[in-house]
Coordinates of all heavy atoms in Angstrom, one line a residue:
Y103 N 61.9 -36.8 20.9 CA 61.7 -36.5 19.5 C 60.9 -37.3 18.7 O 60.3 -36.7 17.7 CB 63.2 -36.5 18.9 CG 64.2 -35.5 19.6 CD1 65.3 -35.9 20.2 CD2 64.1 -34.1 19.4 CE1 66.3 -35.0 20.9 CE2 64.9 -33.2 20.0 CZ 65.9 -33.8 20.7 OH 66.9 -32.7 21.3
V104 N 60.8 -38.5 18.8 CA 59.9 -39.4 18.0 C 59.1 -40.4 18.9 O 59.3 -41.5 18.9 CB 60.8 -40.1 17.0 CG1 59.9 -40.7 16.0 CG2 61.9 -39.3 16.4
N105 N 58.4 -39.8 19.9 CA 57.7 -40.6 20.8 C 56.8 -41.6 20.3 O 56.6 -42.8 20.8 CB 56.9 -39.8 21.8 CG 56.5 -40.5 23.1 OD1 57.2 -41.2 23.7 ND2 55.2 -40.4 23.5
V106 N 56.4 -41.3 19.0 CA 55.4 -42.2 18.4 C 56.1 -43.5 18.2 O 55.4 -44.7 17.9 CB 54.8 -41.5 17.0 CG1 55.8 -41.2 16.0 CG2 53.8 -42.5 16.4
L107 N 57.4 -43.5 17.8 CA 58.0 -44.7 17.4 C 58.0 -45.6 18.7 O 57.8 -46.9 18.6 CB 59.5 -44.5 16.9 CG 60.3 -45.8 16.5 CD1 59.7 -46.5 15.5 CD2 61.7 -45.4 16.2
G108 N 58.3 -45.0 19.8 CA 58.2 -45.9 21.0 C 57.0 -46.4 21.3 O 56.7 -47.6 21.7
E109 N 55.8 -45.7 20.9 CA 54.5 -46.2 21.1 C 54.4 -47.3 20.2 O 53.5 -48.4 20.5 CB 53.5 -45.0 20.9 CG 53.5 -43.9 22.0 CD 52.7 -42.7 21.6 OE1 52.1 -42.7 20.6 OE2 52.5 -41.9 22.5
A110 N 54.7 -47.2 18.9 CA 54.5 -48.2 17.9 C 55.0 -49.5 18.3 O 54.4 -50.6 18.2 CB 54.9 -47.7 16.5
V111 N 56.3 -49.5 18.7 CA 57.1 -50.7 19.0 C 56.6 -51.3 20.3 O 56.8 -52.6 20.6 CB 58.7 -50.6 18.9 CG1 59.0 -50.2 17.5 CG2 59.1 -49.7 20.1
D112 N 56.0 -50.5 21.0 CA 55.4 -51.0 22.4 C 54.1 -51.9 22.2 O 53.7 -52.4 23.1 CB 55.1 -49.9 23.3 CG 55.0 -50.3 24.7 OD1 55.9 -51.2 25.3 OD2 54.1 -49.9 25.5
Q113 N 53.7 -52.0 20.8 CA 52.6 -52.8 20.6 C 53.0 -54.2 19.9 O 52.1 -54.8 19.4 CB 51.6 -52.0 19.7 CG 51.0 -50.8 20.4 CD 50.1 -50.1 19.6 OE1 49.0 -50.6 19.0 NE2 50.1 -48.6 19.5
V114 N 54.2 -54.3 19.8 CA 54.7 -55.5 19.2 C 54.7 -56.8 20.2 O 55.1 -56.6 21.3 CB 56.2 -55.5 18.8 CG1 56.7 -56.9 18.3 CG2 56.5 -54.4 17.7
G115 N 54.0 -57.8 19.9 CA 53.8 -58.9 20.7 C 53.7 -58.8 22.2 O 52.7 -58.0 22.5
G116 N 54.3 -59.4 23.0 CA 54.1 -59.3 24.5 C 55.6 -58.7 25.1 O 56.6 -58.5 24.4
P117 N 55.5 -58.6 26.4 CA 56.8 -58.1 27.1 C 58.1 -58.8 26.8 O 59.1 -58.3 26.6 CB 56.4 -58.2 28.5 CG 55.0 -58.1 28.6 CD 54.4 -58.7 27.4

Side-chain angles (χ1 to χ4, degrees):
Y103 295 115
V104 196
N105 193 45
V106 62
L107 180 59
E109 293 174 350
V111 300
D112 199 41
Q113 298 184 51
V114 176

